[in-house]
Amino acid sequence: MSNEEMLAVAIEEARIGLSESGIPIGAALFDSDGTLLGRGHNRRVQENDPSIHGETDAFRKAGRQMTYRDKVMVTTLAPCWYCSGLIRQFNIGKVIIGESVTFAGGIDWLRENAIEIVDMRSAECISIMRKFIAENPELWNEDIGER
């Protein structure tokens, strides 16, 4: 699968989250050959669980893997510090990011730790997040720990 095709899966998850009145961040974990292992979205609001971010949801749904070095995490938004820690802890080799304009998260730290970062600068991802943040500033600030 191409980077764009993998990102499309994460965008679909973000749209599902938004339709559930949640935070529109989607993610998916792929094997190096493009096989989808798990997909998910931020469900903090829906499940009343602050630990269910898009990346953690996709990671959990992928199940146990023998190694993560050859895995690709795809996320619509740059991963926060919590999700960056998960990526670093399990040595996920590559992260494809829909956008880092509205939120840069821990991508510089991930790069410093030899994680390959591909920022797609997706106009669709930027638009989704800008609209959400403008309409839900308190919820957004809660999500990123700024409340």
Side-chain angles (χ1 to χ4, degrees):
M1 290 183 93
S2 69
N3 290 352
E4 291 79 10
E5 291 169 320
M6 289 188 283
L7 181 57
V9 174
I11 291 171
E12 184 179 334
E13 285 292 327
R15 292 197 178 283
I16 292 168
L18 187 59
S19 75
E20 298 170 347
S21 299
I23 298 161
I25 302 170
L29 188 66
F30 292 87
D31 209 337
S32 58
D33 64 4
T35 301
L36 177 62
L37 301 172
R39 57 188 289 167
H41 55 275
N42 185 306
R43 294 185 296 119
R44 294 179 68 250
V45 174
Q46 300 91 313
E47 300 290 328
N48 195 33
D49 181 343
S51 72
I52 307 177
H53 290 209
E55 297 89 341
T56 60
D57 195 31
F59 182 80
R60 288 172 178 159
K61 289 177 178 170
R64 291 175 57 201
Q65 305 294 314
M66 294 304 294
T67 183
Y68 292 90
R69 293 183 193 280
D70 63 339
K71 304 303 182 274
V72 180
M73 177 65 77
V74 183
T75 180
T76 57
L77 184 66
C80 68
W81 286 105
Y82 169 58
C83 294
S84 293
L86 176 135
I87 291 162
R88 180 68 184 91
Q89 172 70 33
F90 289 93
N91 294 309
I92 294 172
K94 180 177 180 179
V95 181
I96 297 172
I97 298 166
E99 66 105 346
S100 62
V101 172
T102 59
F103 182 74
I107 59 175
D108 289 338
W109 179 72
L110 290 171
R111 281 188 182 111
E112 290 168 6
N113 284 279
I115 307 294
E116 180 183 356
I117 302 294
V118 177
D119 191 338
M120 301 293 287
R121 297 177 179 89
S122 163
E124 183 176 8
C125 291
I126 293 168
S127 175
I128 290 168
M129 285 310 301
R130 280 188 173 159
K131 184 175 189 302
F132 178 80
I133 292 167
E135 293 174 357
N136 304 278
E138 287 187 24
L139 183 56
W140 171 246
N141 286 331
E142 174 191 333
D143 192 58
I144 62 170
E146 296 293 325
R147 189 162 181 218

